[in-house]
Amino acid sequence: MSVVTNTTTIGAIEAPSRRNTELAMLAFAVVIPAFAYLNVGLALDGKVPTGMLGYSVGLALLAGMAHLGVRKFAPHADPLLLPLATLLNGLGLVIIWRLDQSPRLAGQGDAAPKQLIWSALGVALFIGVLLFLKDHRVLQRYTYISMVVALVLLAAPAFFPADEQNFGAKIWIRLGPLSLQPGEFVKIILAIFFSGYLMVKRDALALASRRFMGIYLPRGRDLGPILAVWMLSILILVFETDLGTSLLFFGMFIVMLYVATERTSWIVFGLLMSAIGAVVVAGFEPHVKARVVAWLHPMDIFLPVAQRPAGLVSDQAAQALFAFGSGGMFGTGLGQGNSDLIGFAAKSDFILGTFGEELGLAGMMALFIVYALIVQRGTRTALAARDPFGKLLAIGLSSAFALQVFIVAGGVLNLIPLTGMAMPFLAQGGSSVITNWALIAILIRISDTARRPAPAPAPADAEPTQMVRYDASQPMPE
């Protein structure tokens, strides 16, 4: 008799691993950036770029190594997470290389080769996480250790000089030629801490004391955790003037708190406290205020200096809006835009402006769909996870990824103030690409555990185990 298979997310007996599906999707994830690279070269010089073969082979090798790592160490993992991450990483390398060729950005160095090296390190970390993290539940042991590590990493940039190119935000640790953005790593570390903490305290946090306007209010004694995280986000905003990291961490905690307790009141409190903190800090912190002014009056930068609002010093927001407007529905074509007018930030958080101008609204929507699919697969992994820690960790990592995309895209599109964070997998930055590969690896590990087949039941006609009783006064048989 044949065994009935089950292809749902939660693994069953003889469930398919979907590794061949992943391999087929990876082929598309490599071919699409390779053709984009060719398109850029033809648009810029009218000939096939000399580095196309090396780029295509390099990306294919990275994707193949990552696939072999998943096939070996996480054979039942979700089949779409790796191809989606590879596609984004490959497209990011193409756009960074395209901006490297711009005469207006000459003298800033070749960022694409460096980004390719960082991507290789990210894939190596991806494989390392799958190799050494056999079970994601091991991370629960380090709940409070991760909190200490996160606090140290968050506080470290405050003791280093501010980045004047980033409105004075202190988000970097610079040691000679090397630089590190701790906030990228902290989002994973804090997700581990929040998951372990909320798994233990969720029952107490779910209790309500009274009902007000249709919302069950939490007990006063349970407001401590949210007040502590709120104060942490305010301190980051004050001492490091890092609006993006502050919004990311506080938002991630509120999402995980809501998932753990199913109380809408936590969402309401979170939004109110976030708004109050941002308004208060923006009132006296000049760098945060400058970002708000640039958000409210982006086009006033072209007025005479005497007529500009106080604190408005950059035209990046205006140039990004011009780039989106020039792109129209289908874009100007890869390599044929002028988003390099944005300046040095074109390769970092404003790289989205290049996508919008050269791929148009259609390309932007396709890009956001890829991001949404990663978040959807992460959320599906959370639903399929069989342990509460895994559920919270998967939803925490997925929400952190989604919030970062929203914060960066919202800033570039002028929906919210600019934050200076990197667009995941796309923007130039070693810390960002390495961290996001590690994030994908942890989601793959959780999905592998969730989809792993259950042990086969014993045959119905199997003979029962014979129990033999021995006399304690007699010697044991040899």
Side-chain angles (χ1 to χ4, degrees):
M1 180 181 294
S2 61
V3 179
V4 178
T5 60
N6 188 333
T7 58
T8 59
T9 302
I10 299 178
I13 303 169
E14 300 292 337
S17 67
R18 302 296 188 189
R19 298 282 64 81
N20 292 334
T21 301
E22 178 183 85
L23 184 60
M25 294 295 100
L26 273 177
F28 283 103
V30 172
V31 169
I32 292 174
F35 274 102
Y37 193 97
L38 174 63
N39 197 342
V40 171
L42 292 174
L44 293 176
D45 303 322
K47 58 183 180 181
V48 177
T50 56
M52 179 180 174
L53 180 61
Y55 168 79
S56 302
V57 172
L59 184 61
L61 285 176
L62 291 179
M65 292 172 59
H67 171 71
L68 290 177
V70 175
R71 186 178 285 270
K72 174 68 175 178
F73 304 115
H76 302 285
D78 188 286
L80 290 182
L81 284 170
L82 177 58
L84 293 171
T86 302
L87 176 60
L88 290 174
N89 201 167
L91 289 175
L93 288 169
V94 171
I95 298 300
I96 292 172
W97 176 77
R98 176 261 178 276
L99 293 170
D100 282 343
Q101 312 309 308
S102 170
R104 298 189 182 100
L105 301 180
Q108 295 187 14
D110 294 331
K114 297 178 182 178
Q115 188 71 3
L116 183 58
I117 294 174
W118 285 116
S119 300
L121 293 176
V123 171
L125 180 60
F126 171 88
I127 298 174
V129 171
L130 296 180
L131 173 62
F132 294 105
L133 186 62
K134 303 296 184 182
D135 191 336
H136 64 273
R137 290 169 291 188
V138 173
L139 298 175
Q140 186 181 350
R141 304 175 186 174
Y142 307 101
T143 297
Y144 293 99
I145 295 178
S146 62
M147 178 191 67
V148 175
V149 173
L151 291 177
V152 171
L153 289 176
L154 283 175
F159 301 97
F160 287 81
D163 185 0
E164 295 303 327
Q165 288 186 336
N166 197 19
F167 286 91
K170 296 182 178 182
I171 60 177
W172 296 94
I173 296 177
R174 301 187 184 276
L175 300 173
L178 299 178
S179 59
L180 177 70
Q181 191 173 357
E184 291 287 346
F185 300 96
V186 171
K187 67 184 179 185
I188 296 180
I189 299 173
L190 277 183
I192 296 172
F193 165 66
F194 291 155
S195 300
Y197 176 81
L198 292 174
M199 192 189 73
V200 176
K201 301 293 185 180
R202 60 179 178 175
D203 291 336
L205 294 171
L207 295 177
S209 58
R210 61 181 63 88
R211 183 172 179 143
F212 177 73
M213 297 181 64
I215 298 177
Y216 288 99
L217 301 179
R219 299 182 304 177
R221 72 186 74 173
D222 298 325
L223 289 175
I226 193 172
L227 290 175
V229 178
W230 180 70
M231 286 301 301
L232 175 63
S233 65
I234 295 299
L235 290 175
I236 295 173
L237 200 54
V238 171
F239 292 103
E240 300 181 7
T241 62
D242 187 5
L243 181 61
T245 301
S246 176
L247 291 174
L248 175 63
F249 294 158
F250 190 64
M252 179 176 66
F253 178 70
I254 293 299
V255 171
M256 295 179 69
L257 187 59
Y258 170 73
V259 171
T261 63
E262 301 181 9
R263 289 293 183 189
T264 310
S265 55
W266 289 115
I267 297 287
V268 175
F269 276 106
L271 292 175
L272 288 176
M273 295 176 72
S274 181
I276 293 172
V279 170
V280 171
V281 174
F284 68 87
E285 176 54 53
H287 294 298
V288 177
K289 187 175 182 179
R291 291 187 181 277
V292 175
V293 172
W295 167 52
L296 295 175
H297 309 283
M299 297 301 174
D300 288 358
I301 189 65
F302 301 110
L303 296 174
V305 177
Q307 300 179 23
R308 297 177 189 172
L312 185 60
V313 296
S314 174
D315 67 342
Q316 294 174 356
Q319 293 291 355
L321 294 178
F322 286 139
F324 289 124
S326 300
M329 181 63 69
F330 299 106
T332 60
L334 286 171
Q336 302 182 58
N338 294 288
S339 61
D340 48 355
L341 289 169
I342 298 174
F344 69 92
K347 300 178 185 178
S348 54
D349 47 342
F350 280 97
I351 198 170
L352 200 62
T354 303
F355 273 88
E357 181 175 10
E358 300 189 357
L359 298 179
L361 178 62
M364 287 282 289
M365 294 304 298
L367 184 68
F368 287 140
I369 287 174
V370 175
Y371 278 116
L373 283 173
I374 292 180
V375 176
Q376 187 270 340
R377 303 308 291 190
T379 305
R380 180 169 178 154
T381 296
L383 292 174
R386 301 166 186 171
D387 62 292
F389 178 79
K391 288 180 179 293
L392 287 172
L393 182 57
I395 201 66
L397 295 176
S398 301
S399 63
F401 191 87
L403 285 170
Q404 186 164 348
V405 172
F406 169 77
I407 289 170
V408 177
V412 177
L413 290 166
N414 209 43
L415 297 176
I416 60 175
L418 288 167
T419 60
M421 298 186 73
M423 197 70 175
F425 289 113
L426 291 184
Q428 174 188 352
S431 301
S432 176
V433 71
I434 288 178
T435 303
N436 284 298
W437 273 114
L439 184 149
I440 295 295
I442 297 175
L443 286 178
I444 284 180
R445 169 55 65 207
I446 300 174
S447 69
D448 174 67
T449 304
R451 293 165 55 92
R452 190 175 300 159
D461 56 349
E463 295 184 1
T465 303
Q466 298 294 325
M467 301 297 293
V468 180
R469 182 175 181 180
Y470 293 99
D471 188 349
S473 62
Q474 300 296 326
M476 293 293 291
E478 296 182 358

